[in-house]
């Protein structure tokens, strides 16, 4: 398991991603994902195909931030405005802008819903609950509808290799079970807020189905 991983770190980075006026700083949003990916890497090579895709998407966003138009990629709101005003988003099929920031962040945004559903299941789970079941139920309610059959199959296999509930509670590094449950509640409120702000922004701009 990743030694330095803690749920508090994830909570802190997502907290930093929200500005006073509820804009989302891409740098911290990405940092939250990096924490999660480092945890996933510690679970074994069966998860490599998932973490490679997440890392690839994080890298695309980091490249945009480091590029000559980087100042427009400060927040999700400024990115959406800039890319739409400058016609930098493929809206109906992938063509001239296959790796726009809007499209790339949408994939992570959908995965954030999976995370929210999974953590909520963990929070309310009992000793008998199976992480593989919680994880695949959350996946089926969120990301699965956006994935091809082959990805759904591979993902199902990977879920079977997940460690048990006790290991998850330990790796969160948040103390006793009651403390973990309390911290999960706090993290969930924040993740849900970040998700909802992005969902509303993308919905208002018809960006929720970007190819
Ligand atoms: C104590 C905390 C517990 C929670 C720890 C969670 C750690 C999760 C870390 C990272 C999650 C990975 C995020 C994956 C992003 C996937 C984006 C995506 O949907 N990509 C697909 C579409 O992209 P395009 O082809 O349109 O560019 C792509 O096809 C996907 C390929 C790989 C499979 C993605 C499966 C995602 C499953 C998410 C569950 C992860 C389970 C990890 C369990 C710890």
């Amino acid at each position: 398991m990743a030694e330095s991983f803690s749920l508090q770190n994830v909570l802190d980075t997502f907290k930093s991603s929200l500005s006073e006026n509820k804009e989302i700083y891409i740098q911290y949003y990405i940092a939250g994902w990096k924490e999660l990916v480092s945890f996933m890497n510690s679970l074994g090579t069966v998860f490599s195909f998932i973490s490679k895709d997440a890392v690839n998407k994080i890298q695309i966003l980091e490249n945009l931030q480091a590029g000559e138009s980087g100042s427009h990629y400060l927040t999700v709101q400024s990115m959406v405005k800039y890319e739409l005003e400058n016609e930098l988003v493929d809206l109906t099929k992938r063509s001239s802008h296959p790796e726009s920031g809007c499209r790339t962040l949408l994939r992570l945004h959908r995965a954030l819903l999976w995370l929210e559903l999974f953590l909520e299941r963990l929070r309310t789970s009992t000793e008998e609950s199976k992480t593989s079941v919680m994880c695949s139920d959350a996946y089926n309610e969120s990301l699965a509808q956006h994935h091809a059959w082959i990805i759904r199959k591979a993902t199902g296999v990977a879920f079977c290799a997940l460690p048990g509930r006790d290991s998850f509670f330990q790796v969160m590094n948040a103390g006793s079970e009651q403390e973990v449950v309390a911290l999960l509640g706090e993290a969930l409120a924040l993740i849900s807020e970040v998700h909802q702000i992005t969902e509303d922004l993308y919905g208002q701009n018809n960006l929720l189905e970007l190819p």
Side-chain angles (χ1 to χ4, degrees):
M1 295 289 176
E3 275 170 36
S4 59
F5 179 85
S6 81
L7 185 60
Q8 187 68 53
N9 286 347
V10 176
L11 176 63
D12 289 345
T13 43
F14 278 109
K15 210 177 251 174
S16 306
S17 78
L18 268 186
S19 78
E20 268 180 25
N21 61 345
K22 304 292 181 192
E23 295 212 8
I24 299 166
Y25 291 115
I26 293 175
Q27 182 190 348
Y28 294 108
Y29 186 90
I30 288 174
W33 277 111
K34 281 183 164 176
E35 288 280 339
L36 292 163
V37 167
S38 76
F39 166 67
M40 194 167 54
N41 284 338
S42 74
L43 296 179
T45 50
V46 69
F47 295 93
S48 301
F49 75 105
I50 305 179
S51 70
K52 265 189 197 145
D53 187 69
V55 166
N56 172 259
K57 285 171 172 57
I58 289 167
Q59 190 64 59
I60 292 171
L61 292 169
E62 285 187 330
N63 290 346
L64 289 167
Q65 285 201 309
E68 56 186 25
S69 306
S71 61
H72 298 288
Y73 291 87
L74 183 65
T75 67
V76 178
Q77 287 77 0
S78 64
M79 172 187 78
V80 166
K81 184 169 186 291
Y82 169 70
E83 289 197 342
L84 286 181
E85 282 178 359
N86 291 280
E87 298 182 2
L88 294 171
V89 186
D90 289 340
L91 296 171
T92 51
K93 70 173 170 79
R94 289 183 91 179
S95 55
S96 348
H97 306 290
E99 294 191 337
S100 66
C102 287
R103 176 219 191 256
T104 303
L105 194 126
L106 175 63
R107 270 51 185 179
L108 294 177
H109 168 66
R110 288 171 176 166
L112 197 62
L113 177 59
W114 162 79
L115 181 69
E116 189 182 329
L117 297 173
F118 176 56
L119 293 184
E120 175 57 15
R121 279 171 168 79
L122 263 186
R123 190 183 73 82
T124 54
S125 63
T126 64
E127 274 176 30
E128 289 76 44
S129 306
K130 289 198 178 323
T131 49
S132 55
V133 174
M134 292 188 261
C135 203
S136 73
D137 285 351
Y139 176 74
N140 290 333
E141 273 183 37
S142 56
L143 275 173
Q145 57 195 286
H146 304 289
H147 287 166
W149 179 86
I150 187 78
I151 298 284
R152 294 202 303 270
K153 283 283 151 199
T155 302
V157 171
F159 289 161
C160 294
L162 281 173
R165 176 180 180 269
D166 285 354
S167 305
F168 267 92
F169 270 62
Q170 268 173 28
V171 87
M172 285 191 254
N173 252 319
S176 68
E177 182 161 335
Q178 288 93 323
E179 286 168 321
V180 171
V181 167
L183 193 62
L184 275 171
E186 210 185 312
L188 272 162
L190 193 74
I191 288 170
S192 161
E193 184 175 11
V194 170
H195 184 270
Q196 194 58 52
I197 291 170
T198 314
E199 182 79 7
D200 291 345
L201 177 71
Y202 270 59
Q204 284 151 14
N205 289 282
N206 294 318
L207 297 175
L208 285 167
E209 298 300 329
L210 291 179

